[in-house]
Amino acid sequence: MNTASATALTPAPPAAQYRLAGDLAIWIFILAELLAFGVFFSAYAFTRAHHVELFDAEQRALHRDVGALNTALLLTASYFVVRAVQAAERFAARASSHWLLGAMVCGAGFIVLKLFEYGAAFDQGVSLSSSPFHMFYLSLTFFHFMHVILGMVILAALWFGARAGRYQPGDMNGMETGAAYWHMVDLVWLILFPLVYVIH
Amino acid sequence: MHGSAARATLLWLVLVAATLLTWAVGERGSAGPHVAALLAVVSCVKGGMVILDFMVLRHAPPMWRALTLGWLVLTWALIGLAYWNGMPT
């Protein structure tokens, strides 16, 4: 028997083995969000191609330390959310709520650092109209910032739900839906940070 | 379904370490197409970990994996094309 026929005879895994974690609606929403961010990132990159020296000079003035720390905070929040889901899956509602609280603390840390960063930028005269780079820097990061705010509201809702013991094996849809949204907020930042703060 | 706690912890450590690498490259002020390509690959690997493990798309219908991973690669491909366009001739 040759390899091709062996492959053809191997049964495909049954479709029932596949499962999307969370509500289908949130995944369609996530795809729309990813597309919007993708268009923004591409617009930034193609605009930079026409103003390379300006973009590179103004990028150097950004607070890369704060950007990196914020990346670590979002990743840590995502990790805590994963642990919260895992805890709920083993009936550990209390532990799950503690992990979610940890994720919210990280999210709050991100917000505080971002506000500090915006404050410092505004003090230096950065505005939407001060340069093409500043326009993209402010609009891209603020668009993402709004998603972090919504993510925090969702994490708070999950936290209340976890404390009430609402999530357990067989009834995880709500928590998985909220978790998927938070991970999306993390995912787009993983492109935004190197693109806007580092690559030149 | 959501993997083990140990695996999640390992992934988190790798993700944070990769972030430190990106930060260090930025602090050194390294530039050029090779550095940009390295940072794009690091971002793709990190994004892939979040998509497959944290978002649990590893166990999702293949179409959802293709859409999300495809978005990640396509976005970086467009950024790469723009970067190439902006290089001095």
Side-chain angles (χ1 to χ4, degrees):
Chain A
M1 186 184 289
N2 62 33
T3 312
S5 57
T7 307
L9 290 172
T10 306
Q17 279 184 4
Y18 296 129
R19 196 176 80 81
L20 200 54
D23 215 84
L24 178 63
I26 196 71
W27 282 101
I28 292 169
F29 185 67
I30 284 172
L31 280 188
E33 295 275 26
L34 291 180
L35 278 177
F37 274 103
V39 169
F40 263 134
F41 293 151
S42 303
Y44 168 95
F46 280 98
T47 307
R48 177 190 173 275
H50 294 286
H51 309 274
V52 174
E53 287 181 8
L54 171 91
F55 270 56
D56 290 357
E58 292 184 339
Q59 182 191 62
R60 270 195 288 277
L62 294 183
H63 289 273
R64 252 179 320 282
D65 300 5
V66 176
L69 193 52
N70 266 342
T71 312
L73 283 170
L74 285 185
L75 287 170
T76 305
S78 260
Y79 166 67
F80 286 168
V81 168
V82 171
R83 296 298 301 265
V85 173
Q86 291 174 340
E89 278 185 326
R90 54 169 204 273
F91 294 102
R94 192 174 168 80
S96 180
S97 73
H98 289 162
W99 286 114
L100 286 168
L101 192 60
M104 282 192 287
V105 169
C106 291
F110 179 97
I111 289 170
V112 168
L113 285 178
K114 205 89 207 115
L115 290 175
F116 156 77
E117 191 183 326
Y118 284 144
F122 294 150
D123 284 347
Q124 289 165 2
V126 170
S127 74
L128 281 173
S129 55
S130 53
S131 83
F133 176 80
H134 290 155
M135 191 278 287
F136 273 107
Y137 160 69
L138 286 176
S139 52
L140 264 175
T141 57
F142 191 73
F143 187 51
H144 179 267
F145 184 75
M146 296 306 289
H147 286 77
V148 175
I149 302 277
L150 177 56
M152 289 288 282
V153 173
I154 290 171
L155 288 183
L158 292 183
W159 180 66
F160 279 113
R163 279 170 62 88
R166 203 171 295 151
Y167 312 114
Q168 49 191 292
D171 192 8
M172 289 293 292
N173 196 50
M175 180 172 274
E176 286 178 338
T177 299
Y181 181 86
W182 182 266
H183 295 315
M184 183 275 291
V185 173
D186 186 11
L187 175 62
V188 291
W189 183 263
L190 294 183
I191 296 182
L192 199 159
F193 173 59
L195 178 65
V196 176
Y197 288 74
V198 182
I199 289 179
H200 58 274
Chain B
M1 174 76 188
H2 289 96
S4 69
R7 180 176 171 80
T9 305
L10 179 67
L11 287 173
W12 170 66
L13 289 172
V14 171
L15 287 164
V16 172
T19 302
L20 280 174
L21 173 69
T22 302
W23 169 78
V25 169
E27 286 303 289
R28 275 191 63 186
S30 306
H34 294 98
V35 177
L38 169 73
L39 294 175
V41 168
V42 169
S43 167
C44 278
V45 170
K46 289 167 78 178
M49 287 176 174
V50 170
I51 287 170
L52 292 174
D53 284 274
F54 285 8
M55 296 172 112
V56 215
L57 286 175
R58 190 184 297 283
H59 303 291
M63 180 194 80
W64 288 95
R65 266 197 306 285
L67 284 172
T68 46
L69 291 173
W71 168 83
L72 183 64
V73 172
L74 178 65
T75 301
W76 273 113
L78 286 171
I79 293 168
L81 180 64
Y83 187 92
W84 183 62
N85 260 346
M87 279 170 57
T89 49

Coordinates of all heavy atoms in Angstrom, one line a residue, chain A residues 102-153:
Chain A
G102 N -6.9 38.8 39.5 CA -5.5 39.1 39.1 C -5.5 39.7 37.7 O -4.7 40.6 37.5
A103 N -6.3 39.1 36.8 CA -6.3 39.6 35.4 C -6.8 41.1 35.4 O -6.2 41.9 34.7 CB -7.2 38.8 34.6
M104 N -7.8 41.4 36.3 CA -8.3 42.8 36.3 C -7.2 43.7 36.9 O -7.1 44.9 36.4 CB -9.5 42.9 37.1 CG -10.8 42.4 36.4 SD -12.3 42.8 37.2 CE -12.3 41.7 38.6
V105 N -6.4 43.3 37.8 CA -5.3 44.1 38.4 C -4.3 44.4 37.3 O -3.9 45.6 37.1 CB -4.6 43.4 39.6 CG1 -3.4 44.1 40.0 CG2 -5.6 43.4 40.8
C106 N -4.0 43.4 36.5 CA -3.1 43.6 35.3 C -3.7 44.6 34.3 O -3.0 45.5 33.8 CB -2.7 42.3 34.6 SG -1.7 41.2 35.6
G107 N -5.0 44.4 34.0 CA -5.6 45.3 33.1 C -5.6 46.7 33.6 O -5.4 47.7 32.8
A108 N -5.9 46.9 34.9 CA -5.8 48.2 35.5 C -4.4 48.8 35.4 O -4.3 50.0 35.2 CB -6.3 48.2 37.0
G109 N -3.4 48.0 35.6 CA -2.0 48.4 35.5 C -1.8 49.0 34.1 O -1.1 50.0 33.9
F110 N -2.3 48.2 33.1 CA -2.1 48.7 31.7 C -2.8 50.1 31.5 O -2.1 51.0 30.9 CB -2.8 47.7 30.8 CG -2.8 48.0 29.3 CD1 -1.8 47.5 28.5 CD2 -3.7 48.9 28.7 CE1 -1.7 47.9 27.1 CE2 -3.6 49.3 27.4 CZ -2.6 48.8 26.6
I111 N -4.0 50.2 32.0 CA -4.7 51.5 31.9 C -3.9 52.7 32.5 O -3.7 53.7 31.9 CB -6.1 51.4 32.4 CG1 -6.9 50.5 31.5 CG2 -6.8 52.8 32.6 CD1 -8.3 50.1 32.1
V112 N -3.4 52.4 33.7 CA -2.7 53.5 34.5 C -1.4 53.9 33.7 O -1.1 55.1 33.5 CB -2.3 53.0 35.9 CG1 -1.3 53.9 36.5 CG2 -3.5 52.9 36.8
L113 N -0.6 52.9 33.2 CA 0.6 53.1 32.5 C 0.3 53.9 31.2 O 1.0 54.8 30.8 CB 1.3 51.9 32.2 CG 2.1 51.2 33.3 CD1 2.7 49.9 32.9 CD2 3.2 52.2 33.9
K114 N -0.8 53.5 30.5 CA -1.2 54.1 29.2 C -1.5 55.6 29.5 O -1.2 56.5 28.7 CB -2.4 53.4 28.6 CG -2.5 53.5 27.1 CD -1.7 52.5 26.4 CE -1.2 53.0 25.1 NZ 0.2 53.1 25.0
L115 N -2.3 55.9 30.6 CA -2.6 57.2 30.9 C -1.4 58.1 31.2 O -1.3 59.2 30.8 CB -3.6 57.3 32.1 CG -5.0 56.7 31.7 CD1 -5.9 56.7 33.0 CD2 -5.7 57.6 30.7
F116 N -0.4 57.5 31.9 CA 0.9 58.1 32.2 C 1.6 58.5 30.8 O 2.1 59.6 30.6 CB 1.7 57.2 33.0 CG 3.2 57.5 32.9 CD1 3.8 58.6 33.5 CD2 4.0 56.7 32.1 CE1 5.1 58.9 33.4 CE2 5.4 57.0 32.0 CZ 5.9 58.1 32.6
E117 N 1.5 57.5 29.9 CA 2.2 57.7 28.6 C 1.5 58.8 27.8 O 2.2 59.6 27.2 CB 2.1 56.3 27.9 CG 3.0 56.3 26.6 CD 2.8 55.0 25.9 OE1 2.6 53.9 26.5 OE2 2.9 55.0 24.7
Y118 N 0.2 58.8 27.8 CA -0.5 59.8 27.1 C -0.2 61.2 27.7 O 0.0 62.2 27.0 CB -2.0 59.6 27.1 CG -2.5 58.5 26.2 CD1 -3.6 57.6 26.5 CD2 -1.9 58.4 24.9 CE1 -4.0 56.6 25.6 CE2 -2.4 57.4 24.0 CZ -3.4 56.5 24.4 OH -3.8 55.5 23.6
G119 N -0.2 61.3 29.1 CA 0.1 62.5 29.8 C 1.4 63.1 29.4 O 1.6 64.3 29.0
A120 N 2.4 62.2 29.4 CA 3.8 62.6 29.0 C 3.8 63.1 27.5 O 4.5 64.1 27.2 CB 4.8 61.5 29.2
A121 N 3.1 62.4 26.7 CA 3.1 62.7 25.2 C 2.4 64.1 25.0 O 2.9 64.9 24.3 CB 2.3 61.7 24.4
F122 N 1.3 64.3 25.7 CA 0.6 65.6 25.6 C 1.4 66.7 26.1 O 1.4 67.8 25.5 CB -0.8 65.6 26.3 CG -1.8 64.6 25.7 CD1 -2.7 63.9 26.5 CD2 -1.7 64.3 24.3 CE1 -3.6 63.0 25.9 CE2 -2.6 63.4 23.7 CZ -3.6 62.8 24.5
D123 N 2.2 66.5 27.2 CA 3.1 67.5 27.7 C 4.1 68.0 26.6 O 4.6 69.1 26.7 CB 3.8 67.0 28.9 CG 2.9 67.0 30.2 OD1 1.8 67.7 30.0 OD2 3.2 66.4 31.2
Q124 N 4.5 67.0 25.8 CA 5.5 67.3 24.8 C 4.9 67.8 23.5 O 5.6 67.9 22.4 CB 6.3 66.0 24.5 CG 7.2 65.6 25.6 CD 7.8 64.2 25.5 OE1 7.5 63.5 24.5 NE2 8.5 63.8 26.5
G125 N 3.6 68.1 23.5 CA 2.9 68.7 22.4 C 2.4 67.7 21.3 O 2.1 68.1 20.2
V126 N 2.4 66.4 21.7 CA 1.9 65.4 20.8 C 0.4 65.6 20.7 O -0.3 65.7 21.7 CB 2.2 64.0 21.3 CG1 1.5 62.9 20.5 CG2 3.7 63.8 21.2
S127 N -0.1 65.6 19.4 CA -1.6 65.7 19.2 C -1.9 65.0 17.9 O -1.0 64.6 17.1 CB -2.1 67.1 19.2 OG -1.7 67.7 17.9
L128 N -3.2 64.8 17.6 CA -3.6 64.2 16.4 C -3.1 64.9 15.1 O -2.9 64.3 14.1 CB -5.1 64.1 16.3 CG -5.8 63.0 17.2 CD1 -7.3 63.1 17.2 CD2 -5.4 61.6 16.7
S129 N -2.9 66.2 15.3 CA -2.5 67.0 14.1 C -1.0 67.4 14.1 O -0.6 68.1 13.2 CB -3.4 68.3 14.0 OG -3.3 69.0 15.2
S130 N -0.3 66.9 15.1 CA 1.1 67.4 15.2 C 2.0 66.7 14.1 O 3.0 67.2 13.7 CB 1.7 67.2 16.6 OG 1.5 65.9 17.1
S131 N 1.7 65.5 13.7 CA 2.4 64.8 12.6 C 1.7 63.5 12.2 O 0.8 63.0 13.0 CB 3.8 64.4 13.1 OG 3.8 63.2 13.8
P132 N 1.9 63.0 11.0 CA 1.3 61.7 10.6 C 1.6 60.6 11.6 O 0.7 59.8 11.9 CB 1.9 61.4 9.2 CG 2.4 62.7 8.7 CD 2.8 63.5 9.9
F133 N 2.8 60.6 12.1 CA 3.2 59.5 13.1 C 2.3 59.6 14.3 O 1.8 58.7 14.8 CB 4.6 59.5 13.4 CG 5.0 58.5 14.5 CD1 5.2 57.2 14.1 CD2 5.1 58.8 15.8 CE1 5.5 56.2 15.1 CE2 5.4 57.9 16.8 CZ 5.6 56.6 16.4
H134 N 2.2 60.9 14.9 CA 1.5 61.1 16.1 C 0.0 60.7 15.9 O -0.7 60.2 16.8 CB 1.6 62.5 16.6 CG 3.0 62.8 17.1 ND1 3.6 64.1 17.1 CD2 4.0 62.0 17.6 CE1 4.8 64.0 17.6 NE2 5.1 62.8 17.9
M135 N -0.5 61.1 14.7 CA -1.9 60.8 14.4 C -2.1 59.2 14.5 O -3.1 58.8 15.2 CB -2.3 61.3 13.0 CG -3.8 61.2 12.7 SD -4.4 59.6 12.2 CE -3.6 59.5 10.5
F136 N -1.2 58.5 13.9 CA -1.4 57.0 14.0 C -1.1 56.5 15.4 O -1.8 55.6 15.9 CB -0.4 56.3 13.0 CG -1.0 56.2 11.6 CD1 -0.6 57.0 10.6 CD2 -2.0 55.3 11.4 CE1 -1.2 56.9 9.3 CE2 -2.6 55.1 10.1 CZ -2.2 55.9 9.1
Y137 N -0.1 57.0 16.0 CA 0.3 56.6 17.4 C -0.9 56.8 18.3 O -1.3 55.8 19.0 CB 1.5 57.3 17.9 CG 1.6 57.3 19.4 CD1 2.0 56.1 20.1 CD2 1.4 58.4 20.2 CE1 2.1 56.1 21.4 CE2 1.6 58.4 21.6 CZ 1.9 57.2 22.2 OH 2.0 57.2 23.5
L138 N -1.5 58.0 18.3 CA -2.6 58.2 19.2 C -3.9 57.4 18.8 O -4.5 56.8 19.7 CB -3.0 59.7 19.2 CG -2.0 60.6 20.0 CD1 -2.3 62.1 19.8 CD2 -1.9 60.2 21.5
S139 N -4.2 57.4 17.5 CA -5.5 56.8 17.2 C -5.4 55.3 17.3 O -6.3 54.6 17.8 CB -6.0 57.2 15.8 OG -4.9 57.0 14.8
L140 N -4.3 54.7 16.9 CA -4.1 53.2 17.0 C -4.1 52.8 18.5 O -4.8 51.8 18.9 CB -2.8 52.8 16.4 CG -2.8 52.3 15.0 CD1 -1.4 52.0 14.5 CD2 -3.7 51.0 14.9
T141 N -3.3 53.5 19.3 CA -3.2 53.0 20.7 C -4.5 53.4 21.5 O -5.0 52.6 22.3 CB -2.1 53.7 21.5 OG1 -2.2 55.1 21.4 CG2 -0.7 53.3 20.9
F142 N -5.2 54.5 21.1 CA -6.5 54.8 21.8 C -7.6 53.8 21.4 O -8.4 53.4 22.2 CB -6.9 56.2 21.5 CG -8.0 56.7 22.4 CD1 -7.8 56.9 23.8 CD2 -9.3 56.8 22.0 CE1 -8.8 57.3 24.7 CE2 -10.4 57.1 22.8 CZ -10.1 57.4 24.2
F143 N -7.6 53.4 20.1 CA -8.6 52.4 19.6 C -8.4 51.1 20.4 O -9.4 50.5 20.9 CB -8.4 52.2 18.1 CG -9.4 51.3 17.5 CD1 -10.7 51.6 17.6 CD2 -9.0 50.2 16.7 CE1 -11.7 50.7 17.0 CE2 -9.9 49.4 16.1 CZ -11.3 49.7 16.2
H144 N -7.1 50.8 20.6 CA -6.8 49.6 21.4 C -7.2 49.8 22.9 O -7.8 48.9 23.5 CB -5.4 49.2 21.3 CG -5.0 48.0 22.1 ND1 -4.5 48.1 23.4 CD2 -5.1 46.7 21.8 CE1 -4.3 46.9 23.9 NE2 -4.7 46.0 22.9
F145 N -6.9 51.0 23.4 CA -7.2 51.3 24.8 C -8.7 51.1 25.1 O -9.1 50.6 26.1 CB -6.8 52.8 25.0 CG -6.9 53.3 26.4 CD1 -6.0 52.9 27.4 CD2 -8.0 54.1 26.8 CE1 -6.1 53.4 28.7 CE2 -8.1 54.6 28.1 CZ -7.2 54.2 29.1
M146 N -9.5 51.6 24.1 CA -11.0 51.4 24.3 C -11.4 49.9 24.4 O -12.3 49.6 25.2 CB -11.8 52.1 23.2 CG -11.6 53.6 23.1 SD -12.0 54.4 24.6 CE -13.7 54.3 24.6
H147 N -10.7 49.1 23.7 CA -10.9 47.7 23.8 C -10.5 47.1 25.1 O -11.1 46.2 25.6 CB -10.2 46.9 22.6 CG -10.8 47.1 21.3 ND1 -10.7 48.3 20.6 CD2 -11.7 46.4 20.6 CE1 -11.4 48.2 19.5 NE2 -12.0 47.0 19.4
V148 N -9.4 47.6 25.7 CA -9.0 47.2 27.0 C -10.1 47.6 28.0 O -10.4 46.8 28.9 CB -7.7 47.8 27.4 CG1 -7.3 47.5 28.9 CG2 -6.6 47.4 26.5
I149 N -10.6 48.8 27.9 CA -11.7 49.2 28.8 C -12.9 48.3 28.7 O -13.4 47.8 29.8 CB -12.2 50.7 28.5 CG1 -11.0 51.7 28.5 CG2 -13.4 51.1 29.4 CD1 -10.7 52.2 29.8
L150 N -13.3 47.9 27.5 CA -14.5 47.0 27.4 C -14.1 45.6 27.9 O -14.9 45.0 28.6 CB -14.9 46.9 25.9 CG -16.0 45.9 25.6 CD1 -17.2 46.2 26.4 CD2 -16.3 45.9 24.1
G151 N -12.8 45.2 27.7 CA -12.3 44.0 28.2 C -12.4 43.9 29.7 O -12.8 42.9 30.3
M152 N -12.1 45.0 30.4 CA -12.2 45.1 31.8 C -13.6 45.0 32.3 O -13.9 44.3 33.4 CB -11.6 46.5 32.3 CG -10.1 46.6 32.2 SD -9.2 45.5 33.4 CE -9.4 46.6 34.8
V153 N -14.6 45.6 31.6 CA -16.0 45.4 32.0 C -16.4 43.9 31.9 O -17.1 43.4 32.7 CB -16.9 46.3 31.0 CG1 -18.3 46.0 31.3 CG2 -16.5 47.8 31.2

